[in-house]
Amino acid sequence: MNAYSAAAAAIVSMAITATGCKTTKTTDAADTAPAITSAVAGPAIPPSNQNNIMPRAVIYRMTGDATAANVPVQVSPTGAITSFPAPADIINQEPIALTDGYLLDRRGINDDTRFTRWTYADYSALKSAPSTAEIKAAIIPGAKPTDIHVLDMTPWQAAADTAAINRLIETGLTAE
């Protein structure tokens, strides 16, 4: 191979590497977005593909001896710890109190959430995250979210207009 052929081969090789073996397929976001089921009718949001991929606000009540101040963690069906926040991740993430004992979630509450004895203030002051064994030991027995509702608005819209959510609750929000 002469110098010219070697240079040409190098350029072709770089071009292939730069572009990669990538196939581009245009897909409508509505085709791939997970279905979102709302338990309540919320304020109208104009339909668009963007709304299909935006997170939805969640409100819930709690059972057990936990309060809105207790830090949530995620567990598996067997009770193993599957997810927990770093202490710095919960700063200004406390749920927002609503009417009738409901709370507006700001951490990712679901059926697999359990609450720990740590308050947001105590947990955020920790130098490092506790071990999973420490977290498991800190779970408050029987403390979990109940009466969970996914709203037809983003968490940011909900936090900006808690009066609208309180009106939804007061006008007959029902359990799923």
Coordinates of all heavy atoms in Angstrom, one line a residue, residues 38-117:
S38 N -54.5 8.3 35.5 CA -54.8 9.3 36.5 C -56.0 8.8 37.3 O -57.0 8.4 36.8 CB -55.1 10.6 35.8 OG -55.5 11.6 36.8
A39 N -55.8 8.9 38.6 CA -56.9 8.6 39.5 C -57.9 9.7 39.7 O -59.0 9.5 40.2 CB -56.3 8.2 40.9
V40 N -57.5 10.9 39.3 CA -58.3 12.1 39.5 C -58.3 12.9 38.2 O -57.4 12.9 37.4 CB -57.9 13.0 40.7 CG1 -58.0 12.2 42.0 CG2 -56.5 13.5 40.5
A41 N -59.3 13.7 38.1 CA -59.3 14.7 37.0 C -58.7 16.0 37.5 O -59.1 16.6 38.4 CB -60.7 15.0 36.6
G42 N -57.6 16.3 36.9 CA -56.8 17.5 37.3 C -57.1 18.6 36.4 O -57.8 18.5 35.4
P43 N -56.4 19.7 36.6 CA -56.5 20.9 35.7 C -56.1 20.4 34.3 O -55.2 19.6 34.1 CB -55.5 21.9 36.2 CG -55.4 21.5 37.6 CD -55.5 20.0 37.7
A44 N -56.8 20.9 33.3 CA -56.5 20.5 31.9 C -55.1 20.9 31.5 O -54.7 22.0 31.7 CB -57.6 21.2 31.0
I45 N -54.5 20.0 30.8 CA -53.2 20.3 30.2 C -53.4 20.0 28.7 O -53.8 18.9 28.4 CB -52.1 19.4 30.8 CG1 -51.9 19.7 32.3 CG2 -50.8 19.6 30.0 CD1 -50.9 18.8 33.0
P46 N -53.0 20.9 27.8 CA -53.2 20.7 26.4 C -52.5 19.4 26.0 O -51.4 19.2 26.4 CB -52.6 21.9 25.7 CG -52.5 22.9 26.8 CD -52.4 22.2 28.1
P47 N -53.2 18.5 25.2 CA -52.5 17.3 24.8 C -51.3 17.6 23.9 O -51.4 18.4 23.0 CB -53.6 16.5 24.1 CG -54.6 17.5 23.7 CD -54.5 18.6 24.7
S48 N -50.2 16.9 24.1 CA -49.1 17.0 23.2 C -48.2 15.8 23.5 O -48.3 15.2 24.6 CB -48.3 18.3 23.4 OG -47.6 18.2 24.6
N49 N -47.3 15.5 22.6 CA -46.4 14.4 22.9 C -45.5 14.8 24.0 O -45.1 13.9 24.8 CB -45.5 14.2 21.6 CG -46.3 13.6 20.5 OD1 -47.4 13.0 20.8 ND2 -45.9 13.7 19.3
Q50 N -45.2 16.0 24.3 CA -44.3 16.4 25.4 C -45.0 16.0 26.7 O -44.3 15.5 27.6 CB -44.1 17.9 25.4 CG -43.2 18.4 26.5 CD -41.7 17.9 26.3 OE1 -41.3 17.6 25.2 NE2 -41.0 17.9 27.4
N51 N -46.3 16.2 26.8 CA -47.0 15.8 28.1 C -47.0 14.3 28.3 O -47.1 13.9 29.5 CB -48.5 16.3 28.0 CG -48.5 17.8 28.2 OD1 -47.7 18.4 28.8 ND2 -49.6 18.4 27.7
N52 N -46.8 13.5 27.3 CA -46.8 12.1 27.5 C -45.5 11.6 28.2 O -45.4 10.5 28.7 CB -46.9 11.3 26.2 CG -48.3 11.5 25.6 OD1 -49.3 11.7 26.4 ND2 -48.5 11.4 24.3
I53 N -44.5 12.4 28.1 CA -43.2 12.0 28.7 C -42.8 12.8 29.9 O -41.8 12.5 30.6 CB -42.0 12.1 27.7 CG1 -41.9 13.5 27.1 CG2 -42.3 11.1 26.6 CD1 -40.7 13.7 26.2
M54 N -43.6 13.8 30.3 CA -43.3 14.6 31.5 C -43.8 13.8 32.8 O -44.8 13.1 32.7 CB -44.1 15.9 31.5 CG -43.7 16.8 30.3 SD -41.9 17.3 30.5 CE -42.0 18.3 31.9
P55 N -43.0 13.9 33.9 CA -43.5 13.2 35.1 C -44.8 13.8 35.6 O -45.1 15.0 35.3 CB -42.3 13.5 36.1 CG -41.6 14.7 35.5 CD -41.8 14.7 34.0
R56 N -45.5 13.1 36.3 CA -46.8 13.5 36.9 C -46.7 13.7 38.4 O -46.0 12.9 39.1 CB -47.9 12.5 36.5 CG -48.1 12.4 35.1 CD -48.8 13.6 34.6 NE -49.0 13.6 33.2 CZ -48.8 14.7 32.4 NH1 -48.3 15.8 33.0 NH2 -49.0 14.7 31.1
A57 N -47.4 14.7 38.9 CA -47.5 14.9 40.3 C -48.2 13.8 41.0 O -49.1 13.2 40.4 CB -48.2 16.2 40.6
V58 N -47.7 13.5 42.2 CA -48.3 12.4 43.0 C -48.7 12.9 44.3 O -47.9 13.6 45.0 CB -47.4 11.2 43.1 CG1 -47.9 10.1 44.1 CG2 -47.0 10.6 41.8
I59 N -49.9 12.6 44.8 CA -50.3 13.0 46.1 C -50.6 11.7 46.9 O -51.0 10.7 46.2 CB -51.5 14.0 46.2 CG1 -52.7 13.4 45.6 CG2 -51.1 15.3 45.6 CD1 -54.0 14.2 45.8
Y60 N -50.5 11.7 48.2 CA -50.7 10.5 49.0 C -51.0 10.9 50.4 O -50.8 12.0 50.8 CB -49.5 9.6 48.9 CG -48.2 10.2 49.5 CD1 -47.8 9.9 50.8 CD2 -47.4 11.1 48.9 CE1 -46.7 10.4 51.4 CE2 -46.3 11.7 49.4 CZ -46.0 11.4 50.7 OH -44.9 12.0 51.3
R61 N -51.5 9.9 51.1 CA -51.6 9.9 52.6 C -50.6 8.9 53.1 O -50.1 8.1 52.4 CB -53.0 9.6 53.0 CG -54.0 10.7 52.7 CD -55.3 10.3 53.3 NE -56.4 11.0 52.6 CZ -57.6 10.9 52.9 NH1 -58.0 10.0 53.9 NH2 -58.6 11.5 52.3
M62 N -50.4 8.9 54.4 CA -49.5 8.0 55.1 C -50.3 7.1 56.1 O -51.3 7.6 56.7 CB -48.4 8.7 55.7 CG -47.6 9.5 54.8 SD -46.4 10.6 55.6 CE -45.2 9.4 56.1
T63 N -49.8 6.0 56.4 CA -50.3 5.1 57.4 C -49.1 4.8 58.4 O -47.9 4.9 58.0 CB -50.9 3.8 56.9 OG1 -51.5 3.1 58.0 CG2 -49.9 2.9 56.2
G64 N -49.4 4.5 59.6 CA -48.3 4.2 60.6 C -47.9 5.4 61.3 O -48.6 6.5 61.3
D65 N -46.8 5.3 62.0 CA -46.3 6.4 62.8 C -45.4 7.4 62.1 O -44.7 8.2 62.8 CB -45.6 5.8 64.0 CG -46.5 5.1 65.0 OD1 -47.7 5.5 65.0 OD2 -46.1 4.2 65.7
A66 N -45.4 7.4 60.8 CA -44.5 8.4 60.1 C -45.2 9.7 59.9 O -46.5 9.8 60.0 CB -44.1 7.8 58.7
T67 N -44.5 10.7 59.7 CA -45.0 12.0 59.4 C -44.4 12.5 58.1 O -43.5 11.9 57.6 CB -44.7 13.1 60.5 OG1 -43.3 13.3 60.5 CG2 -45.1 12.6 61.9
A68 N -44.8 13.6 57.6 CA -44.2 14.2 56.4 C -42.8 14.5 56.6 O -42.0 14.6 55.6 CB -45.0 15.5 56.0
A69 N -42.3 14.6 57.8 CA -40.8 14.9 58.0 C -39.9 13.7 57.9 O -38.7 13.8 57.8 CB -40.7 15.5 59.4
N70 N -40.5 12.4 57.8 CA -39.7 11.2 57.7 C -39.2 10.9 56.3 O -40.0 11.0 55.3 CB -40.4 10.0 58.3 CG -40.7 10.2 59.8 OD1 -41.8 10.5 60.2 ND2 -39.7 10.0 60.6
V71 N -38.0 10.6 56.1 CA -37.3 10.3 54.8 C -37.8 9.0 54.3 O -37.8 8.0 54.9 CB -35.8 10.3 55.0 CG1 -35.1 9.9 53.6 CG2 -35.3 11.7 55.4
P72 N -38.3 9.0 53.0 CA -38.7 7.8 52.3 C -37.6 7.0 51.7 O -36.6 7.6 51.2 CB -39.7 8.3 51.3 CG -39.2 9.6 50.9 CD -38.6 10.2 52.2
V73 N -37.7 5.7 51.6 CA -36.8 4.8 50.8 C -37.6 3.8 50.1 O -38.8 3.7 50.4 CB -35.8 4.1 51.8 CG1 -34.9 5.1 52.5 CG2 -36.5 3.2 52.8
Q74 N -37.0 3.2 49.1 CA -37.7 2.2 48.3 C -37.3 0.8 48.7 O -36.1 0.6 49.0 CB -37.5 2.4 46.8 CG -37.8 3.8 46.3 CD -39.3 4.1 46.5 OE1 -40.2 3.3 46.2 NE2 -39.6 5.3 47.0
V75 N -38.3 -0.1 48.8 CA -38.0 -1.5 49.1 C -38.5 -2.4 48.0 O -39.4 -2.1 47.3 CB -38.6 -1.9 50.5 CG1 -38.0 -1.0 51.6 CG2 -40.1 -1.8 50.5
S76 N -38.0 -3.6 48.0 CA -38.5 -4.7 47.1 C -39.7 -5.3 47.8 O -39.9 -5.1 49.0 CB -37.4 -5.7 46.8 OG -37.2 -6.5 48.0
P77 N -40.5 -6.2 47.1 CA -41.5 -6.9 47.7 C -41.1 -7.8 48.9 O -41.9 -8.1 49.8 CB -42.1 -7.8 46.6 CG -41.8 -7.0 45.3 CD -40.4 -6.3 45.6
T78 N -39.8 -8.1 48.9 CA -39.3 -8.9 50.0 C -38.8 -8.1 51.1 O -38.3 -8.6 52.1 CB -38.1 -9.9 49.5 OG1 -37.1 -9.0 49.0 CG2 -38.6 -10.8 48.4
G79 N -38.8 -6.8 51.0 CA -38.3 -5.9 52.0 C -36.9 -5.4 51.9 O -36.4 -4.7 52.7
A80 N -36.2 -5.9 50.9 CA -34.8 -5.4 50.7 C -34.8 -4.0 50.2 O -35.7 -3.5 49.5 CB -34.1 -6.3 49.6
I81 N -33.8 -3.2 50.7 CA -33.7 -1.8 50.3 C -33.3 -1.7 48.8 O -32.2 -2.3 48.5 CB -32.7 -1.1 51.2 CG1 -33.0 -1.2 52.7 CG2 -32.5 0.4 50.7 CD1 -34.3 -0.6 53.1
T82 N -34.0 -1.1 48.0 CA -33.7 -1.0 46.5 C -33.2 0.4 46.1 O -32.5 0.5 45.2 CB -34.9 -1.4 45.7 OG1 -36.0 -0.5 45.9 CG2 -35.2 -2.8 45.9
S83 N -33.6 1.4 46.9 CA -33.2 2.8 46.6 C -33.3 3.7 47.8 O -34.3 3.6 48.5 CB -34.1 3.3 45.4 OG -33.7 4.6 45.1
F84 N -32.3 4.5 47.9 CA -32.4 5.5 49.0 C -31.6 6.7 48.6 O -30.7 6.6 47.8 CB -31.9 4.9 50.3 CG -30.5 4.4 50.3 CD1 -29.4 5.2 50.6 CD2 -30.2 3.1 49.9 CE1 -28.1 4.7 50.6 CE2 -28.9 2.6 49.8 CZ -27.9 3.4 50.2
P85 N -31.9 7.9 49.2 CA -31.2 9.1 48.7 C -29.9 9.3 49.4 O -29.7 8.8 50.5 CB -32.2 10.2 49.1 CG -32.9 9.6 50.3 CD -33.0 8.2 50.1
A86 N -29.0 10.1 48.8 CA -27.8 10.6 49.5 C -28.3 11.7 50.4 O -29.3 12.4 50.1 CB -26.8 11.1 48.4
P87 N -27.6 12.0 51.4 CA -28.1 13.1 52.3 C -28.3 14.4 51.6 O -29.2 15.1 51.9 CB -27.0 13.1 53.4 CG -26.5 11.7 53.5 CD -26.5 11.2 52.1
A88 N -27.4 14.7 50.7 CA -27.5 16.0 50.0 C -28.7 16.0 49.0 O -29.2 17.1 48.6 CB -26.2 16.3 49.2
D89 N -29.2 14.9 48.6 CA -30.3 14.8 47.6 C -31.7 15.1 48.2 O -32.6 15.3 47.4 CB -30.4 13.4 47.0 CG -29.2 13.0 46.1 OD1 -28.5 14.0 45.7 OD2 -29.0 11.9 45.8
I90 N -31.8 15.2 49.5 CA -33.1 15.5 50.0 C -33.3 16.9 50.5 O -34.4 17.3 51.0 CB -33.5 14.5 51.2 CG1 -32.5 14.7 52.4 CG2 -33.5 13.1 50.7 CD1 -33.0 14.1 53.6
I91 N -32.3 17.8 50.3 CA -32.5 19.1 50.8 C -33.6 19.8 50.0 O -33.6 19.7 48.8 CB -31.1 19.9 50.6 CG1 -30.1 19.3 51.5 CG2 -31.3 21.4 50.9 CD1 -28.7 19.7 51.3
N92 N -34.5 20.4 50.7 CA -35.7 21.1 50.1 C -36.6 20.1 49.3 O -37.2 20.5 48.3 CB -35.3 22.2 49.2 CG -34.6 23.3 50.0 OD1 -35.0 23.6 51.1 ND2 -33.5 23.9 49.4
Q93 N -36.6 18.9 49.7 CA -37.5 17.9 49.0 C -38.6 17.3 49.9 O -39.3 16.4 49.5 CB -36.6 16.7 48.6 CG -35.6 17.0 47.5 CD -36.3 17.5 46.2 OE1 -37.1 16.7 45.7 NE2 -36.0 18.7 45.8
E94 N -38.8 17.9 51.0 CA -39.9 17.5 51.9 C -41.2 17.6 51.1 O -41.4 18.4 50.3 CB -40.0 18.4 53.1 CG -38.8 18.3 54.0 CD -37.8 19.4 53.7 OE1 -37.8 19.9 52.6 OE2 -37.0 19.6 54.6
P95 N -42.2 16.6 51.4 CA -43.5 16.7 50.8 C -44.2 18.0 51.2 O -43.9 18.5 52.3 CB -44.2 15.5 51.2 CG -43.5 15.1 52.5 CD -42.1 15.5 52.4
I96 N -45.1 18.5 50.4 CA -45.9 19.7 50.7 C -47.2 19.2 51.3 O -47.9 18.4 50.7 CB -46.1 20.5 49.4 CG1 -44.7 21.0 48.9 CG2 -47.0 21.7 49.7 CD1 -44.8 21.6 47.5
A97 N -47.5 19.8 52.5 CA -48.8 19.4 53.1 C -50.0 20.0 52.4 O -49.9 21.2 51.9 CB -48.8 19.9 54.6
L98 N -51.0 19.2 52.2 CA -52.2 19.6 51.5 C -53.4 19.4 52.5 O -53.2 19.1 53.6 CB -52.4 18.8 50.2 CG -51.3 18.8 49.2 CD1 -51.5 17.7 48.2 CD2 -51.3 20.2 48.5
T99 N -54.6 19.6 52.0 CA -55.7 19.4 52.9 C -56.0 18.0 53.1 O -55.6 17.1 52.4 CB -57.0 20.2 52.2 OG1 -58.0 20.2 53.2 CG2 -57.4 19.4 51.0
D100 N -56.8 17.7 54.1 CA -57.3 16.3 54.4 C -56.2 15.3 54.6 O -56.4 14.1 54.3 CB -58.3 15.9 53.4 CG -59.3 14.8 53.8 OD1 -59.4 14.6 55.1 OD2 -59.8 14.1 53.0
G101 N -55.0 15.7 55.1 CA -54.0 14.7 55.4 C -53.2 14.3 54.2 O -52.3 13.4 54.3
Y102 N -53.4 14.9 53.0 CA -52.7 14.5 51.8 C -51.3 15.3 51.8 O -51.2 16.4 52.3 CB -53.5 14.9 50.5 CG -54.5 13.8 50.2 CD1 -55.8 13.9 50.6 CD2 -54.1 12.7 49.4 CE1 -56.7 13.0 50.3 CE2 -55.1 11.7 49.1 CZ -56.4 11.9 49.5 OH -57.3 10.9 49.2
L103 N -50.4 14.7 51.1 CA -49.1 15.3 50.9 C -48.7 15.3 49.4 O -49.1 14.3 48.7 CB -48.0 14.5 51.6 CG -48.2 14.4 53.1 CD1 -47.3 13.4 53.7 CD2 -47.9 15.8 53.8
L104 N -48.1 16.3 48.9 CA -47.6 16.4 47.5 C -46.2 15.8 47.5 O -45.3 16.4 48.2 CB -47.7 17.8 47.0 CG -47.0 18.0 45.6 CD1 -47.8 17.2 44.5 CD2 -47.1 19.5 45.3
D105 N -46.0 14.7 46.8 CA -44.7 14.1 46.8 C -43.7 14.9 46.0 O -44.0 15.5 45.0 CB -44.9 12.7 46.1 CG -43.6 12.0 45.8 OD1 -42.7 12.0 46.7 OD2 -43.4 11.4 44.7
R106 N -42.4 14.9 46.6 CA -41.3 15.5 45.8 C -40.1 14.6 45.8 O -39.0 15.0 45.5 CB -40.9 16.8 46.5 CG -42.1 17.8 46.4 CD -41.8 19.2 46.6 NE -41.1 19.5 47.8 CZ -40.6 20.7 48.1 NH1 -40.6 21.7 47.2 NH2 -39.9 21.0 49.2
R107 N -40.3 13.3 46.2 CA -39.2 12.3 46.2 C -39.4 11.0 45.4 O -38.5 10.2 45.3 CB -39.0 11.9 47.7 CG -38.4 12.9 48.6 CD -36.9 13.2 48.3 NE -36.1 12.0 48.0 CZ -35.2 12.0 47.1 NH1 -34.8 13.0 46.4 NH2 -34.5 10.9 46.9
G108 N -40.6 10.8 44.9 CA -40.8 9.5 44.1 C -41.5 8.5 44.9 O -41.1 7.3 45.1
I109 N -42.6 8.8 45.5 CA -43.4 7.9 46.3 C -44.2 6.9 45.4 O -44.7 7.3 44.4 CB -44.5 8.7 47.2 CG1 -43.7 9.7 48.1 CG2 -45.4 7.8 47.9 CD1 -42.9 9.0 49.1
N110 N -44.2 5.7 45.9 CA -45.0 4.6 45.2 C -45.4 3.6 46.2 O -45.1 3.7 47.4 CB -44.3 4.1 44.0 CG -43.0 3.4 44.3 OD1 -42.9 2.7 45.3 ND2 -42.0 3.7 43.5
D111 N -46.0 2.5 45.8 CA -46.4 1.4 46.7 C -45.2 0.7 47.4 O -45.4 0.1 48.4 CB -47.2 0.3 46.0 CG -48.6 0.8 45.6 OD1 -49.2 1.7 46.2 OD2 -49.1 0.3 44.5
D112 N -44.1 0.8 46.9 CA -42.9 0.2 47.4 C -42.1 1.2 48.4 O -41.0 0.9 48.7 CB -41.9 -0.3 46.3 CG -42.6 -1.4 45.5 OD1 -43.4 -2.2 46.1 OD2 -42.3 -1.5 44.3
T113 N -42.7 2.3 48.7 CA -42.0 3.3 49.6 C -42.3 2.9 51.0 O -43.4 2.5 51.4 CB -42.5 4.7 49.3 OG1 -42.2 5.0 47.9 CG2 -41.9 5.7 50.2
R114 N -41.2 3.1 51.8 CA -41.3 3.0 53.3 C -40.7 4.2 53.9 O -39.9 4.8 53.2 CB -40.7 1.7 53.8 CG -41.3 0.4 53.3 CD -42.8 0.3 53.6 NE -43.4 -0.9 53.1 CZ -44.1 -1.0 51.9 NH1 -44.2 0.2 51.2 NH2 -44.6 -2.1 51.5
F115 N -41.0 4.5 55.1 CA -40.5 5.7 55.8 C -39.5 5.3 56.9 O -39.8 4.4 57.6 CB -41.6 6.6 56.2 CG -42.4 7.1 55.1 CD1 -43.6 6.4 54.7 CD2 -42.0 8.2 54.4 CE1 -44.3 6.9 53.6 CE2 -42.8 8.7 53.3 CZ -43.9 8.0 52.9
T116 N -38.5 6.1 57.0 CA -37.5 5.9 58.0 C -37.7 6.8 59.2 O -38.4 7.8 59.2 CB -36.0 6.1 57.5 OG1 -35.9 7.5 57.2 CG2 -35.8 5.3 56.3
R117 N -37.0 6.5 60.3 CA -37.1 7.3 61.5 C -36.4 8.7 61.3 O -36.6 9.6 62.1 CB -36.6 6.6 62.7 CG -35.1 6.2 62.7 CD -34.6 5.6 63.9 NE -33.3 4.9 63.7 CZ -32.2 5.6 63.6 NH1 -32.1 6.9 63.7 NH2 -31.0 4.9 63.4

